Amino acid sequence: MWSHGEVDAAQRAARNGHRSTIVWLTGLSASGKSTIARALERELFERGMQVFVLEGDNLRHGLNRNLGFSPEDRSENIRRAAEVAKLLADAGLVVIAAFISPYRADRAAAREIARAGGHPFIEVFVNAPLEVCETRDPKHLYRKARAGQIKEFTGVSAPYEPPDAPELELRTDRQTPEECVAQAVKLLLGIVCSGGL
Ligand code: ADP
């Protein structure tokens, strides 16, 4: 039985000046998820909003440190991430979740967790072609994956299932990070600041 507190979502939203939401960034490694997440967080923070980034790499240092990259572990990684995102949204935050989250079913499950908590779920496909991501390769992960030093690497030796109907698609190979963030901000403000808040 879920225990309800004395402070409800509407009261939190009224104090914050916006409702909570979960912005879910999905895409290949080096597609630009972290870059956009951080810049978007900064932009919303400067506007006085309650915002926090949840990062795949960071969660794997703590809560998810016992998980690897098998399909089962990736699913569990995303399930836990979605539950944490939901709790942060329960606390009234705009949560920006940056996870490769390669499987459609896992992202659908994350959406369902958000929906059950009464939070909007904005799926953002951070999209750049594999060749572009591989050329960027900021952490040399593609190089290691091609050399066989990293197994089950998304795009190289593990699948990525692109979203069928994301709320937003950002082509990071055709637009600057600033343009991408501006698009995300516009969509987001329409969702979290509507209703006179
Ligand atoms: P991910 O979090 O998806 O693994 P990162 O954000 O760590 O990706 O790396 C993306 C790289 O692509 C960065 O070096 C960033 O500067 C570069 N980049 C170029 N154009 C864009 C863009 N429009 N949006 C985001 N990143 C971009």
Side-chain angles (χ1 to χ4, degrees):
M1 184 73 183
W2 188 266
S3 154
H4 291 276
E6 288 295 321
V7 181
D8 68 20
Q11 289 171 322
R12 291 183 202 280
R15 175 173 291 181
N16 290 337
H18 60 81
R19 66 171 305 177
S20 59
T21 195
I22 297 171
V23 184
W24 192 277
L25 307 183
T26 173
L28 292 170
S29 181
S31 61
K33 298 180 299 299
S34 296
T35 305
I36 291 170
R38 296 293 175 200
L40 182 59
E41 180 185 42
R42 172 55 61 189
E43 173 74 28
L44 298 178
F45 183 82
E46 298 301 337
R47 288 170 183 257
M49 296 171 68
Q50 301 291 340
V51 56
F52 190 71
V53 170
L54 266 186
E55 274 254 12
D57 287 347
N58 292 357
L59 245 66
R60 282 181 179 278
H61 275 108
L63 179 65
N64 292 350
R65 64 150 57 109
N66 61 328
L67 300 175
F69 292 87
S70 67
E72 296 73 25
D73 278 11
R74 285 179 189 262
S75 289
E76 178 61 11
N77 182 47
I78 295 311
R79 187 190 71 78
R80 291 184 199 172
E83 290 287 0
V84 173
K86 184 241 172 209
L87 286 172
L88 293 175
D90 286 348
L93 276 75
V94 170
V95 184
I96 304 169
F99 293 84
I100 296 174
S101 46
Y103 298 114
R104 272 189 208 105
D106 293 345
R107 295 193 303 266
R111 183 184 290 273
E112 183 50 33
I113 288 168
R115 196 202 60 77
H119 308 296
F121 185 87
I122 306 170
E123 189 172 352
V124 180
F125 182 20
V126 181
N127 188 12
L130 178 63
E131 310 77 72
V132 173
C133 295
E134 205 157 349
T135 307
R136 290 176 179 165
D137 207 10
K139 297 177 218 151
H140 307 301
L141 297 175
Y142 284 97
R143 202 166 70 193
K144 288 184 187 158
R146 291 287 178 201
Q149 291 160 9
I150 303 176
K151 310 283 181 215
E152 299 185 282
F153 193 74
T154 303
V156 175
S157 44
Y160 180 78
E161 300 172 356
D164 289 325
E167 275 72 18
L168 182 65
E169 177 174 355
L170 300 173
R171 283 295 302 249
T172 65
D173 58 324
R174 296 189 189 147
Q175 291 179 291
T176 64
E178 293 73 25
E179 288 168 337
C180 293
V181 169
Q183 262 186 279
V185 167
K186 192 165 165 226
L187 175 67
L188 202 66
L189 291 182
I191 292 169
V192 299
C193 295
S194 57
L197 286 172

